[in-house]
Structure formats: C-alpha cells, structure tokens
Amino acid sequence: MLAGGSVWLGRALGNPNLGVLLYSLLQLVSMAFLLGYFLEWMQRRIHRFCTYFALAFFCTIPVFGNYAIVMWKDPWYSGLLLLLGMFLYDKAVLDRDAFLKRKNLVLYGVLGVLISLMRNNGIYIMILISVVLVYMYRKRVKRVALTCAVTILCICTITGPVYKGVFSAENEFVESIGIPLQQMVRVVIKDGNMTKEDKEFLNHLMPMEKYQEYYNPFLVDPVKWAPEFHTDYLNAHKAAFFQTWFSLLKSNFGIYVEQYLMGTYGFWHIGGDTPYEFVKTQIAANDWWLYQIAPFESYFNYAMQEKMSGKYDFMASGLLVWIALYDVLLCWVKRKSRYILPLLIMVGNWLTLMIATPTAFGLRYIFIMMLGVPLLVFYPLLLPPSEEEATSRKKHISM
C-alpha cells in the first residue's frame, strides 16, 4: 500500500519516479525522527557517553543511509519494533503499573497492529510478547489479556478477510514454508528415501527433474518462484504438504538437519554471513516506467554509486544474535527476568527466521538488531544491581 500508493501518486503528478522520491523522503524523515528519539531515550536511561557512541555508530556506517531510503518494508518494520521495545521497557519493566493505563494499552495495540502489517512474522512476535505480558500481569490479568486478544484479533482480521476482500490479496502460503520446502527439495537432490506417495506429491509441485536446476541450499526463492512450480496446487493441498514433509523427515533426518543448518546459516554462525541483499542501490527491471538517473555523477563525472558500493560496512547477523542472547542470559543470571521482555522483541524476530526464513543470509530480515546495537551493547547498564551487588557497593563506600 505504501509503495504502490506512492507510485500511483507519482503517476498522477506525471512521473511515477516522483512517487519513489516521495516514498524515500517519507521514510528518510521518519527514520531520522526514530533514531533521534532513540538517542534521546538512551541519554535519559543510560548515560550521555553511550548516546555519543550510538550517534557515531549511526552516522559513520553507510548502511543506515541506504536503509533510510530503500524501498523495502524492513526499515519501518524494524523501527516500529525498536519503538515497542523502548515502550515496554518504560511502561512494563520500570513501572509495571503504567502499562495498565488505558492510553498505554491502546498504544501497545496500535504498535502491535502496525508491526504486523509491515511483515508477516510480526503477528508471531506479538503473540510471544502477549503471552509473556499475560504471565507478568497474571494477578491483574483481565485488562492485559483483553488488550492482547483484541490486538491479535485485529491483526488476523486485517491481514486475512480485509486484505482478501478489499485488496484482492492475502498472505502467500509459500512465503511461510521456506525451510520445510528446502528440506524436501534437498531429499530429492540427494536421492533420499521417498515413498511413491511422496514422489507423486513432489512431482505435482514441480517436475522432479527440475528440482536440481533450481535448488540453492541458501535460498528458497529460485524454487518457489520457478515457472514450473505449481503454487496453486500447493495452496490447495496444504495438509498434504505437511504430511509429505513429516513422511520424509522420518527416513531422511540427517538430510533435514543439513538443510536446516545451511538454510539458517547466517542467523546463527558468527562471521558466516555474505553481503546478499545487504543493501539495495539499483532499480530492478519493471513495467511501471521507474528508472534510475544519476545527475550528480553526470555533472561531476564521478561514479559516486560505484565508489560507495565498496564502503558499506558489513556486519554479520549471527554476531548480533549472540549479543542479544548474551543479554537475555545476563538478565536471567542476575534474576532480573522482567528485563528480558524488551529483548524478546529482537529474539522473537530471530526465532521466526529460524523457523521460516527464505534465505540463509540477509541483514534486512534482522535489521532490528542492527538498529538496536547500541542498546544491546549497553543493556547491562540498564539492569539495576542485585541485592548482593548493592550490599557490596555500600560496604565499599563505607570503607
């Protein structure tokens, strides 16, 4: 809606590229306000020095400039997740009573709906956070449970019947089965154990001889978007898909494990990433008369985009994941379990990737952790000292 609406407005103004410009400016300004608010929040909650570090981090890494204008849904999605994390820290962790106020319950619901409209996996994160909130407020559960239930219901209604009825669109089933589909394809490639029924189902999805041609252990897109892949058949036989997947699992467990590790490689292995879809600097071929021009390059005779392409600082997604998991573990060890709640937003997003990621590499899918690097690095400073630590400090001061 955002991208298409912008292009439609550009066409109405005489040039669809004006719509792309509008989209980029809107995203650029909103991300600037978001990062500015994040820095102000860090200064209030942690320390001014940490804010300077965060400011330098955002200013010196070119990827943030690219993600501020790129026509992807991930920047806004990640920005909303970061807002939710700060909100929950303020209203549910520091002041538990604040979350129960009507305006904060409404704000939580609005943020949850917006997050889930940006990416399909948003609803699963909201379900996880809702379960934790219900547990945290189990002694005063009515208002919290009602808010969470209404939020999830709104998300399901909008992304289901409303999308299908108003926009003639619905979530593609194939988008959510990347990992199991890849595991089944690898069984074919490795000539694993298959029953007659398994082969028939796989052959209906795509001719068996074509799997070898399109299979990529790190990316499911070549298979699911292949001209020979029958998406309509898959949508009409969802139960049969899972039956076949389970049937192949029983006799090809090792192949399934191999594919799972390769299919999620960049999201758990430190330094195991590649620059695949790290940044986007070009416009793909299209039928909407969208094109790219470089007036500054032409005027100054300087290949600016080419020079910039080698300056994007690369950071492995797996490293960010382990930093987040370390913070979760630290909260648990220090018996500050409620401080885990804001971190669960990042961890929940990562878990959805580990279940259904379409690619083994892709910073944009986990951009929330890139935005949250300053928070992850300094999160231990947000934890209040334990009773033992406080007592030890008092003794040290008295001495």
Side-chain angles (χ1 to χ4, degrees):
M1 290 171 60
L2 289 168
S6 298
V7 173
W8 175 87
L9 181 58
R11 282 181 175 177
L13 295 173
N15 188 340
N17 288 284
L18 292 176
V20 178
L21 173 63
L22 174 65
Y23 180 98
S24 294
L25 289 176
L26 181 62
Q27 183 167 274
L28 179 74
V29 172
S30 61
M31 292 301 291
F33 273 103
L34 168 75
L35 294 183
Y37 175 72
F38 180 41
L39 293 173
E40 190 270 340
W41 182 88
M42 285 190 65
Q43 183 163 302
R44 284 188 289 112
R45 293 300 180 200
I46 309 178
H47 192 277
R48 181 170 295 181
F49 168 78
C50 303
T51 308
Y52 293 153
F53 168 85
L55 179 61
F57 178 73
F58 291 135
C59 289
T60 57
I61 297 182
V63 70
F64 291 109
N66 181 270
Y67 273 57
I69 61 172
V70 70
M71 218 168 195
W72 275 338
K73 52 195 171 185
D74 305 278
W76 267 329
Y77 168 73
S78 298
L80 288 169
L81 288 178
L82 185 61
L83 280 177
L84 180 61
M86 291 185 284
F87 169 78
L88 289 176
Y89 182 87
D90 289 341
K91 307 302 181 184
V93 175
L94 287 188
D95 185 359
R96 296 186 64 183
D97 293 333
F99 185 74
L100 298 175
K101 295 180 180 179
R102 183 175 299 176
K103 65 177 182 179
N104 290 329
L105 292 173
V106 171
L107 183 55
Y108 170 78
V110 170
L111 281 173
V113 171
L114 290 176
I115 286 168
S116 300
L117 295 184
M118 285 294 168
R119 286 201 69 88
N120 293 338
N121 51 335
I123 186 173
Y124 303 109
I125 299 173
M126 295 310 301
I127 290 173
L128 173 63
I129 299 299
S130 296
V131 170
V132 175
L133 284 172
V134 168
Y135 176 77
M136 285 179 57
Y137 291 92
R138 57 192 179 277
K139 295 182 180 179
R140 295 175 288 177
V141 74
K142 288 185 179 179
R143 301 186 75 177
V144 175
L146 180 61
T147 300
C148 293
V150 170
T151 301
I152 300 301
L153 180 62
C154 288
I155 295 169
C156 294
T157 301
I158 296 173
T159 59
V162 173
Y163 275 10
K164 189 174 182 178
V166 178
F167 304 107
S168 299
E170 60 180 333
N171 293 329
E172 290 281 353
F173 175 65
V174 72
E175 293 282 355
S176 60
I177 57 166
I179 289 178
L181 179 59
Q182 285 282 78
Q183 289 172 324
M184 295 164 67
V185 174
R186 186 170 178 83
V187 171
V188 177
I189 300 302
K190 291 293 184 179
D191 196 23
N193 297 319
M194 293 177 283
T195 65
K196 180 181 178 182
E197 291 76 14
D198 296 336
K199 292 180 179 180
E200 288 179 354
F201 179 82
L202 290 167
N203 194 58
H204 278 302
L205 284 183
M206 188 163 67
M208 295 289 281
E209 65 275 8
K210 289 292 182 177
Y211 283 107
Q212 181 70 51
E213 179 180 343
Y214 292 107
Y215 173 69
N216 180 334
F218 302 114
L219 182 65
V220 71
D221 288 3
V223 170
K224 72 181 184 183
W225 302 134
E228 297 87 350
F229 189 81
H230 299 138
T231 305
D232 292 339
Y233 181 85
L234 174 64
N235 292 335
H237 298 83
K238 296 177 182 178
F241 173 85
F242 290 111
Q243 291 172 0
T244 305
W245 178 86
F246 184 71
S247 173
L248 293 172
L249 168 66
K250 292 184 292 184
S251 53
N252 300 278
F253 183 76
I255 294 177
Y256 269 40
V257 172
E258 290 174 358
Q259 178 54 53
Y260 179 77
L261 293 175
M262 289 189 292
T264 59
Y265 191 74
F267 300 114
W268 58 264
H269 187 271
I270 297 178
D273 235 339
T274 70
Y276 173 75
E277 285 202 335
F278 186 63
V279 294
K280 210 72 167 179
T281 58
Q282 71 280 354
I283 295 179
N286 61 86
D287 298 323
W288 305 319
W289 303 287
L290 299 176
Y291 53 88
Q292 190 175 73
I293 59 174
F296 293 104
E297 291 191 0
S298 301
Y299 183 81
F300 293 106
N301 194 28
Y302 180 77
M304 185 181 301
Q305 181 164 294
E306 181 182 342
K307 298 291 185 181
M308 278 295 296
S309 64
K311 297 184 180 296
Y312 287 105
D313 303 83
F314 185 68
M315 185 173 289
S317 305
L319 175 62
L320 306 181
V321 170
W322 285 105
I323 296 175
L325 294 178
Y326 167 80
D327 287 341
V328 171
L329 180 61
L330 184 65
C331 294
W332 184 263
V333 170
K334 285 182 171 288
R335 298 181 180 179
K336 305 294 180 183
S337 56
R338 74 175 186 272
Y339 284 81
I340 297 175
L341 179 62
L343 295 172
L344 281 182
I345 296 169
M346 297 185 187
V347 174
N349 182 71
W350 170 69
L351 289 174
T352 61
L353 296 174
M354 295 299 286
I355 294 172
T357 179
T359 173
F361 313 101
L363 180 69
R364 72 185 184 98
Y365 293 105
I366 207 164
F367 187 56
I368 172 57
M369 289 192 178
M370 189 71 173
L371 282 178
V373 162
L375 181 62
L376 292 174
V377 171
F378 295 115
Y379 203 78
L381 299 180
L382 290 171
L383 304 180
S386 62
E387 294 181 6
E388 295 82 358
E389 291 172 331
T391 303
S392 176
R393 290 179 185 178
K394 288 180 180 179
K395 289 180 179 180
H396 180 74
I397 292 173
S398 63
M399 292 173 63

